Amino acid sequence: MTDPAAVERDAAEAASAFAHPAVAPDVTAAYGEHPDHVVDFYAPRGESGGPVPLVVVLHGGAWRAPYDRQHVTPFADFLARRGFAVANVEYRRGSSLPRQNAEGPVAGRWPETFDDVAAAMDALPGLAGTALPQADLRRMVVTGHSAGGHLALWAAARHVLPHGSPWRLPAPPVLRGVVALAPIADFAVAQELDVCGGASAQLLGGADHWDERLPSADPASLLPTGIATAVVQGRDDIVVPQQVAEAYVAAAAKAGEMVGLTLLDGVGHFPLIDPAADACAVVAEEISQLAW
């Protein structure tokens, strides 16, 4: 049973992260026809003195419809104030109504969630080139929190997807790296721990599709990528426990790849995207180390 003090701390951290008012983007561009096919762009604040790295943000929320990109706009603005050009990506998430005997909103849509992330990443160079002329597309880093951390790792691994996958790339994406924040990075471990109420299986369309679809969706199955990857994780995270990150890092090592893992003491799930938290500054530094 989860420690009541840990639950209380998690609630306080979530309240702090969600207390910041949404920050409007400088430009919004569409990468498709659906209302969720949009990217918000944030220009670097202050004098950049030349081209700056582009940070692509993929938000979390267990791939569920009630959680959209608005809750990470303060985080996107925080990165822009650190001198980055930022792209905050929206994508289709699960139905807002229960189905498949699930309790509460269902996580993700198959294949639409993956269709959208692939389409957004493919469209980003062209969109950013117009919306953010300051962005140096040769220095692009993808970051994401929780379910968005999963999508960030997945986006960097499309060149190792199974042959025949509609999302597979013929060559590695042009990325400086990935910084995954408390990611749902190993689906088997996440399911064992019932992370986000079994969201990983829901994302794949239910238990009946688990074996068939896991190789196309699970970051721990898509290794090695050859893309520099760092994971930032709070030791006190009760939403996506550190065992999930550790399992991914171990899978990478088994595949012959080193993934950096930064474990933060006294930190739970939400401070990683909370501009008021020290952990958020650690995240920005991890991004800087890959981008600059």
Side-chain angles (χ1 to χ4, degrees), residues 53-212:
L54 175 65
V55 180
V56 182
V57 176
L58 291 160
H59 70 82
W63 310 285
R64 291 187 169 117
Y67 305 98
D68 63 16
R69 71 192 185 282
Q70 293 303 312
H71 76 272
V72 293
T73 61
F75 174 65
D77 177 67
F78 174 83
L79 294 175
R81 288 187 279 111
R82 288 293 185 113
F84 296 109
V86 182
N88 185 17
V89 177
E90 191 58 277
Y91 53 89
R92 281 175 288 181
R93 304 164 311 286
S95 169
S96 60
L97 297 175
R99 68 177 192 275
Q100 300 172 343
N101 298 316
E103 295 182 3
V106 172
R109 301 188 195 183
W110 183 281
E112 290 90 346
T113 298
F114 296 94
D115 287 343
D116 292 358
V117 172
M121 295 301 298
D122 291 345
L124 264 174
L127 296 178
T130 300
L132 292 179
Q134 312 97 316
D136 184 348
L137 301 178
R138 299 166 301 177
R139 290 186 286 169
M140 184 160 60
V141 173
V142 181
T143 191
H145 178 241
S146 196
H150 157 263
L151 294 173
L153 294 170
W154 182 85
R158 289 171 57 204
H159 58 295
V160 296
L161 284 168
H163 288 281
S165 168
W167 309 305
R168 182 181 167 96
L169 292 175
V174 181
L175 295 174
R176 278 290 181 91
V178 181
V179 179
L181 314 177
I184 305 178
D186 186 305
F187 276 18
V189 175
Q191 280 301 107
E192 181 181 343
L193 297 175
D194 195 33
V195 168
C196 298
S200 299
Q202 292 176 19
L203 175 66
L204 301 186
D208 290 346
H209 298 287
W210 177 268
D211 291 338
E212 169 197 357

